[in-house]
Amino acid sequence: MSNVTEQSHLPKDPKQWVKDLEAIWKAHDGDAASKGYTDDAVLHWGANQVQSGDALRERPGKWFSFATDLQIDKKYIAHTNDCIVTTWDSKYTDPDTGKTVFERGIEYFYFREGLVCEQHAWQSSWNAGDDVDETQFSTA
């Protein structure tokens, strides 16, 4: 048995960190949402899409400008010594189509010395009224 304790890179209270993150997103606070990343942080999502630097920090503000009526709930799932996993459910009106869009997603955040250094996100989106039959499946 080892007496070595792995160093934690997480914020002091991971569950509270998720609650605070949720509050920032509920408030549509782009400035607060852009903080908490290391200078070299990177976001991975979608079809091999990657963002870092200024583009990563500007992303939340741009999203809040697009989805002006965004309603979102985030949920703490788990954590390790350097990673926090969350899920979210959201709803907003697409300004281009006027349709209500629902999203469900999962993301994980890797931390270095209390700051996010890497984020991965996956989501599923659908429009209100879409025929979403649980017996269907997609290979796309």
Side-chain angles (χ1 to χ4, degrees), residues 82-137:
D82 68 347
C83 182
I84 296 176
V85 180
T86 72
T87 61
W88 80 87
D89 289 285
S90 65
K91 171 183 165 183
Y92 64 92
T93 304
D94 182 321
D96 297 329
T97 66
K99 293 184 177 183
T100 300
V101 179
F102 294 94
E103 293 183 341
R104 179 168 292 137
I106 188 166
E107 58 196 336
Y108 60 88
F109 301 86
Y110 282 111
F111 289 79
R112 184 182 331 119
E113 298 176 0
L115 297 174
V116 175
C117 60
E118 188 173 345
Q119 178 181 354
H120 294 257
W122 296 268
Q123 74 184 49
S124 177
S125 302
W126 64 96
N127 294 323
D130 282 355
D131 181 16
V132 184
D133 182 347
E134 68 275 359
T135 63
Q136 296 177 1
F137 69 94

Side-chain angles (χ1 to χ4, degrees), residues 26-37:
K26 282 181 177 285
H28 302 188
D29 187 341
D31 290 334
S34 70
K35 295 180 179 158
Y37 290 95

Side-chain angles (χ1 to χ4, degrees), residues 49-85:
Q49 294 161 288
V50 177
Q51 232 171 17
S52 61
D54 290 340
L56 170 61
R57 287 168 185 76
E58 292 167 359
R59 183 180 181 83
K62 287 181 177 181
W63 181 246
F64 299 143
S65 292
F66 176 80
T68 59
D69 62 345
L70 176 69
Q71 298 172 29
I72 189 166
D73 295 303
K74 289 186 175 275
K75 181 179 174 185
Y76 165 88
I77 299 299
H79 72 274
T80 65
N81 69 316
D82 68 347
C83 182
I84 296 176
V85 180

